[in-house]
Amino acid sequence: MNVENTKSQMRKGMLEYCVLLLLRRKPSYASEIIGLLKEAELIVVEGTLYPLLTRLKNEGLLGYDWRESMQGPPRKYYTLTTAGEAFLAELDTAWNELSHTVNHLKTESMLRLPVNE
């Protein structure tokens, strides 16, 4: 089994949640989102992010507006809609439940490790 494949699937599963978390903080444009994800050590390329942003917009979870930029053409800033905020609240609950489950299983498995003599 290839651990890199599993790690990739885990990152893909978390990407939508992470993007929504960032947009809860403040409206952002795509390159800024990529930079913030890289700072958090979640490496994402434009070819992955743009389709995700489009899908979230089409689902009514994101809105956007164009803003002038001092460094080139206008930028599309994405924001959470009311539906996006509600969806993110549901994901927060799901994350807390999942995190609790994983932490519980990790703790239980550590308690059952044989003691080296």
Side-chain angles (χ1 to χ4, degrees), residues 15-33:
L15 181 59
E16 182 174 315
Y17 183 46
C18 291
V19 167
L20 294 173
L21 287 171
L22 289 174
L23 293 174
R24 176 165 52 193
R25 274 198 249 161
K26 67 181 183 106
S28 300
Y29 57 96
S31 295
E32 183 179 25
I33 293 169

Side-chain angles (χ1 to χ4, degrees), residues 14-77:
M14 293 300 304
L15 181 59
E16 182 174 315
Y17 183 46
C18 291
V19 167
L20 294 173
L21 287 171
L22 289 174
L23 293 174
R24 176 165 52 193
R25 274 198 249 161
K26 67 181 183 106
S28 300
Y29 57 96
S31 295
E32 183 179 25
I33 293 169
I34 289 172
L36 293 168
L37 291 170
K38 283 181 182 177
E39 284 177 21
E41 300 182 23
L42 181 61
I43 306 302
V44 177
V45 296
E46 289 179 1
T48 301
L49 184 63
Y50 281 109
L52 173 63
L53 293 170
T54 299
R55 182 175 58 77
L56 294 172
K57 181 185 68 69
N58 291 342
E59 291 175 359
L61 303 177
L62 298 182
Y64 68 86
D65 62 283
W66 291 96
R67 298 183 189 177
E68 291 298 321
S69 169
M70 302 280 261
Q71 303 171 350
R75 294 177 174 158
K76 187 187 286 189
Y77 278 77

Side-chain angles (χ1 to χ4, degrees), residues 76-91:
K76 187 187 286 189
Y77 278 77
Y78 292 90
T79 58
L80 284 181
T81 62
T82 303
E85 290 173 8
F87 185 72
L88 182 53
E90 290 181 43
L91 290 180

